[in-house]
């Protein structure tokens, strides 16, 4: 295809969105960064409009970010992309594929069905059962079903009076009726992001903690570093991402005394970690992949 028109769905001005748009523009001469908050779908005509451009007339869309934060509203935005696909626009990764990863519970169920090792996890709306799980675990990480970069997560410890423990759980539940909690894992000062392009392993970066926070995310002050995992860990991550059929993703892996476990498979993948860690230009690799398939 000569000079295809490829739009980049993301957050205008954000680094990962702009470097992907740069890579697309360098190869095609076309640049369009799309903010899904400003897209309108006219079901009568089928037009999907963004600043006068009908997205249904493009050759492809690459989804870098669907919004600044994950939420049920994110699912609504993905539905608009399903309409673009119905009009023949290639969407990378496919809207249905991304849908299965936006919700943490959906991702977890798929991983468990595939036999992928994960931290001990309880999902419930019942405060009493959550309380008993915290007592069993000693410490539990409570995670919203829709979140990124550990936002909204908290650690609740069992070594406090039952009344205070219940209070903390109920405070989390007020904003998260379906509670998702995992046994807190002692990390070796890092966790890993393993990068895959259409199922092909590209490399691994570590998120290294720089302080005494319980998580290693860059949002909490961590830094990226290169990491060379053993082949067995690469194979585990490959199996974890396989059910989702993503064109680009990262698999979050933690090392434990019992062996590696998978935290999650990312709906969008970490461009900055790939670049600052193992030196992978993910934007260029992803764009070349898309162009090869057009």
């Amino acid at each position: 295809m000569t000079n295809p028109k490829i739009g980049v769905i993301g957050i205008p001005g954000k680094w990962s969105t702009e470097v992907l748009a740069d890579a697309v523009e360098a190869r095609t001469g076309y640049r369009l960064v799309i903010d899904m908050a400003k897209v309108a779908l006219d079901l009568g005509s089928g037009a999907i409009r963004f600043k006068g451009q009908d997205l249904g007339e493009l050759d492809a869309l690459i989804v870098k970010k669907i919004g600044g934060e994950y939420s049920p509203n994110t699912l609504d935005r993905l539905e608009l992309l399903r309409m673009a696909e119905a009009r023949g626009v290639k969407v990378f990764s496919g809207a249905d594929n991304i849908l299965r990863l936006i919700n943490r519970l959906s991702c977890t169920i798929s991983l468990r069905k595939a036999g992928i090792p994960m931290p001990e996890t309880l999902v419930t709306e019942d405060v009493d059962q959550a309380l008993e799980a915290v007592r069993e675990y000693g410490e539990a990480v409570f995670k919203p079903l829709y979140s990124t970069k550990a936002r909204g997560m908290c650690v609740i410890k069992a070594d406090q009076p039952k009344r205070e423990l219940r209070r903390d759980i109920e405070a989390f539940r007020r904003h998260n009726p379906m509670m998702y909690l995992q046994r807190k894992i002692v990390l070796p000062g890092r966790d890993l992001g393993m990068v895959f392009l259409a199922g092909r392993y590209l490399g691994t970066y570590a998120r290294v903690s720089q302080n005494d926070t319980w998580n290693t995310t860059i949002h909490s002050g961590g830094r990226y570093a290169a990491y060379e995992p053993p082949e067995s860990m690469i194979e585990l991550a490959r199996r974890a991402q396989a059910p989702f059929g993503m064109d680009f993703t990262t698999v979050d892996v933690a090392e434990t005394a019992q062996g590696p476990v998978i935290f999650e498979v990312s709906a969008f993948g970490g461009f900055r970690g790939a670049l600052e860690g193992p030196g992978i230009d993910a934007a260029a690799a992803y764009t070349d992949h898309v162009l090869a398939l057009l």
Side-chain angles (χ1 to χ4, degrees), residues 132-208:
E132 289 306 313
V134 174
R135 284 179 160 177
E136 178 186 347
Y137 297 163
E139 290 184 80
V141 182
F142 282 66
K143 301 181 177 184
L145 294 185
Y146 301 91
S147 72
T148 180
K149 300 186 186 302
R151 293 184 179 93
M153 297 183 187
C154 66
V155 174
I156 298 179
K157 300 181 180 181
D159 62 347
Q160 57 180 314
K162 184 177 180 179
R163 179 182 297 179
E164 295 179 13
L165 176 56
R166 179 178 292 274
R167 179 202 61 198
D168 290 348
I169 293 172
E170 289 176 342
F172 179 83
R173 189 183 182 280
R174 276 196 290 272
H175 301 285
N176 303 277
M178 182 64 78
M179 295 177 287
Y180 179 110
L181 55 143
Q182 291 182 324
R183 182 189 291 273
K184 183 174 178 290
I185 292 176
V186 178
L187 297 174
R190 65 171 181 250
D191 68 344
L192 309 173
M194 305 185 73
V195 185
F196 290 85
L197 179 67
R200 178 169 62 91
Y201 172 69
L202 298 185
T204 295
Y205 59 87
R207 286 174 291 252
V208 183

